[in-house]
Amino acid sequence: MFSNLFGSHFSNSGTISFAVTSTNDTELTTLASAGSNFEKSPGTFGAGEVIRNKLVSGSDVNGASLDGYVDVNWGYAWELDPNTPAVAPGAGQTFDFYAAMFHEFTHALGFGSEISGTPAADRFDEGSTESGTPGSWSKWDEFLTDKSGAKLIDPNTQIVDATAFANAQTDGGLFAGPNAFLAFGSQPNLFDDPDQSHLDEATFSMPTKDMNFMMKPNRDYGPQEARTWSSLEIGILTDLGYSRVSAVPEPSTFAVILVGILAVETRRRRRVQVAS
């Protein structure tokens, strides 16, 4: 199903392998998490992203190793039949499994930041490059700004701008990609979580909008969660380097292999959470 979604908008092709783990814990607010594996490439935007590079350029930057990882929290009730609507809050409530997985796979495509560390003055990349030295950033990071337009990562030094990042944490950041701008009419707000990797909850979640966007930060029980990308999310993925289709594509342009293993490389993961 995700292959069909991807192939209906983008012409890139490849086979992506994921390591799959499971959680069973209702004490956690995280429903699922996923991401791309990443090779350190200091001083670059996107050179180390395994999945995005494999699909955009055909470059396999980590060889025979698995490309990404996904974890599902089975402590919550999921609707696993793709043709049966998830049940709204109340008796028998369930989450839409496919909406959540599509959200996670979109993170794995590159919809997310590599900025890590705390406080804002001590930010570095997730590959643990020393703070104050050029980081290994995602392509997404190249487009992040605060609301004044100051880039969160200085393009000359490839180091986090502590002032701009602190501003984004306080007031929310922006994704300053040209295709996102064309789709939305302005630079879209990003949720002011530590990694600036979701669309702003207040702007892109019902009831403030007439639809839920797939890449908002949380999920709720029921059938309303998006299984399709909005024009904004398609614009963002285009900014990340994916090639838009010019005709109806074959539905199998994006193949996913899920490999169950006991452990994967320890990395902070993009995650979708229960709505509060």
Side-chain angles (χ1 to χ4, degrees):
M1 292 174 64
F2 189 76
S3 300
N4 291 340
L5 171 63
F6 183 86
S8 67
H9 297 290
F10 300 104
S11 61
N12 310 84
S13 62
T15 299
I16 305 301
S17 58
F18 285 88
V20 180
T21 56
S22 295
T23 304
N24 192 331
D25 189 351
T26 55
E27 295 297 316
L28 298 176
T29 59
T30 300
L31 293 173
S33 58
S36 171
N37 284 330
F38 202 97
E39 295 293 308
K40 292 185 69 173
S41 53
T44 66
F45 286 111
E49 293 176 275
V50 173
I51 291 176
R52 195 186 65 84
N53 279 291
K54 197 170 188 180
L55 292 172
V56 170
S57 67
S59 175
D60 191 347
V61 300
N62 72 339
S65 299
L66 294 173
D67 302 313
Y69 46 84
V70 59
D71 183 89
V72 179
N73 186 350
W74 298 106
Y76 289 94
W78 295 96
E79 177 51 66
L80 299 178
D81 184 342
N83 299 312
T84 300
V87 178
Q93 61 191 13
T94 54
F95 288 105
D96 185 332
F97 178 78
Y98 296 91
M101 289 300 98
F102 287 10
H103 173 107
E104 295 305 331
F105 286 145
T106 303
H107 278 313
L109 291 176
F111 201 111
S113 175
E114 288 295 308
I115 299 174
S116 185
T118 188
D122 190 35
R123 291 278 162 170
F124 50 88
D125 69 83
E126 287 196 33
S128 298
T129 297
E130 183 180 354
S131 178
T133 61
S136 300
W137 309 114
S138 63
K139 186 67 175 177
W140 167 278
D141 290 324
E142 186 174 7
F143 297 104
L144 300 186
T145 74
D146 66 12
K147 290 192 174 179
S148 75
K151 288 185 174 292
L152 301 196
I153 298 172
D154 187 309
N156 297 313
T157 65
Q158 299 288 319
I159 297 171
V160 173
D161 183 315
T163 299
F165 191 88
N167 291 340
Q169 288 287 279
T170 302
D171 301 324
L174 301 177
F175 184 90
N179 290 285
F181 182 92
L182 288 174
F184 190 56
S186 63
Q187 309 298 355
N189 293 335
L190 299 178
F191 185 61
D192 58 355
D193 61 354
D195 57 7
Q196 303 284 323
S197 295
H198 293 94
L199 297 176
D200 178 59
E201 182 176 8
T203 306
F204 297 102
S205 298
M206 294 192 301
T208 56
K209 302 293 286 185
D210 60 2
M211 65 174 290
N212 273 329
F213 284 63
M214 185 188 293
M215 298 311 294
K216 64 189 180 68
N218 57 24
R219 306 282 99 178
D220 203 351
Y221 293 107
Q224 74 286 340
E225 302 298 346
R227 292 187 186 180
T228 59
W229 291 317
S230 65
S231 59
L232 169 58
E233 290 155 333
I234 293 167
I236 289 173
L237 290 168
T238 305
D239 286 324
L240 297 181
Y242 293 98
S243 300
R244 296 290 302 276
V245 297
S246 56
V248 177
E250 294 295 324
S252 58
T253 55
F254 180 95
V256 175
I257 297 175
L258 301 178
V259 180
I261 62 174
L262 294 178
V264 296
E265 177 186 5
T266 301
R267 291 277 308 281
R268 182 165 53 101
R269 301 175 181 178
R270 317 296 166 221
R271 59 199 182 278
V272 61
Q273 296 185 314
V274 179
S276 57

